[in-house]
Amino acid sequence: MIILGIESSCDDSGLALYDTHIKNLRSHVICSQNLVHKKYGGVVPELAARTHIQTIIPLLKKLLKNSNLELNKIDIIAYTKGPGLSGSLLVGASIACSIALSINKPVIGIHHLEGHLLSPFLSNNSLTFPFIALLVSGGHTQLIKVNSMGNYFLLGETLDDAAGETFDKIAKMLDLGYPGGPKISLISEFGDPNIYKFPRPMLYTNDFNFSFSGLKTSVLNVIKNIKLDLLKQEKANIARGFLDAIIDVLTSKCIAALKNTGFNKLVVVGGVGANKQLRKKLNILKKKYNYTVFYPKKEFCTDNGAMIAFAGAMRIENNSNLELNYEFNIKPQWKINQIKI
Ligand code: KG4
Ligand code: ZN
């Protein structure tokens, strides 16, 4: 069976073909809108939707060409149904349903976060349920107990900004560009870890929630108190102080979740999961706390069509309902614990 995955929940158009016979991807393509949103320092929803309209069909043509496949050889179309930006979701859903109608094949609406949660299976044959997932992206920061396919229990989440959003906002304050995560990661390598000690919010609260707005304000106050046209070294010191603080919080909460549940497998997904320093610290701590940690390939940390095609394949394997009426209804506010198999 060949499953076409279409991801368009935010600012990346991603398409992929997953083949259930070979249990692998045939091909995948992605078009990031970073250049479109760069000058605004964040995603502009209206521009994101318009850009998806321009990119998805050419990407589909490229995908089919890369895998030497005709459109009617696709068996099922999986698309991101939510959560995400309404306009962006609508574009992906309407294209998915139109293609499906034209070739008389069913569609399946996928929860974007389920796509992220399952993404490490694409490259880790030894990964099995259950596990604890740290989902850290531009829009979400959650700790989830993943019991089995479709059975997810939300342990905790951010009470305000998401981790990726915090990276982006601080990069904007430091005038480093968008998206901020990779820029902060890079510049922080030249920073002195002993100059700025920023707060570690909610580190000792006995729960699995996060809060990053105080950390962001604290960084802002430092930037305000020194000159706006910061020297590169000063920017690097601030970035390093911020990175150390956010990584401390993320890793401590992961370890608390593993201890509390008795699980010994950790999965880290979402854009921030590509962060080199976060991976390094989690890898260092695994001996001490006796856990194994799995990540998706770096290219599948940020939004992509491969994870949506794969989640579609997993849902079909688990007899999830397919839709043949093409009356798509997007779910911009869909919560992870509202998912059913
Ligand atoms: O998963 P994703 O594509 O978006 C959502 O679904 O929300 O993640 C995008 C986020 C951005 O905020 C970006 O700054 C962050 O992931 N990010 C990183 C890194 N690469 C991307 N954050 C920290 N370090 C990175 N290397
Ligand atoms: Zn995402």
Side-chain angles (χ1 to χ4, degrees), residues 145-199:
K145 197 168 142 200
V146 179
N147 295 310
S148 59
M149 179 66 204
N151 181 346
Y152 313 127
F153 181 78
L154 182 66
L155 292 168
E157 63 184 332
T158 181
L159 305 179
D160 40 57
D161 295 354
E165 184 185 357
T166 313
F167 270 97
D168 294 336
K169 285 180 176 163
I170 287 175
K172 191 177 178 188
M173 292 175 202
L174 292 172
D175 205 15
L176 296 176
Y178 174 84
K183 315 264 182 203
I184 291 203
S185 173
L186 190 68
I187 196 172
S188 70
E189 305 219 279
F190 308 100
D192 183 335
N194 300 311
I195 310 280
Y196 296 107
K197 294 282 177 203
F198 291 114

Side-chain angles (χ1 to χ4, degrees), residues 112 116 137 303 307:
H112 178 79
H116 277 301
S137 68
D303 294 347
M307 67 183 195

Side-chain angles (χ1 to χ4, degrees), residues 209-228:
N209 292 327
F210 303 86
S211 164
F212 298 116
S213 65
L215 172 59
K216 184 183 67 190
T217 309
S218 173
V219 177
L220 180 63
N221 287 339
V222 165
I223 297 174
K224 267 191 198 155
N225 288 335
I226 36 186
K227 293 243 170 68
L228 250 182

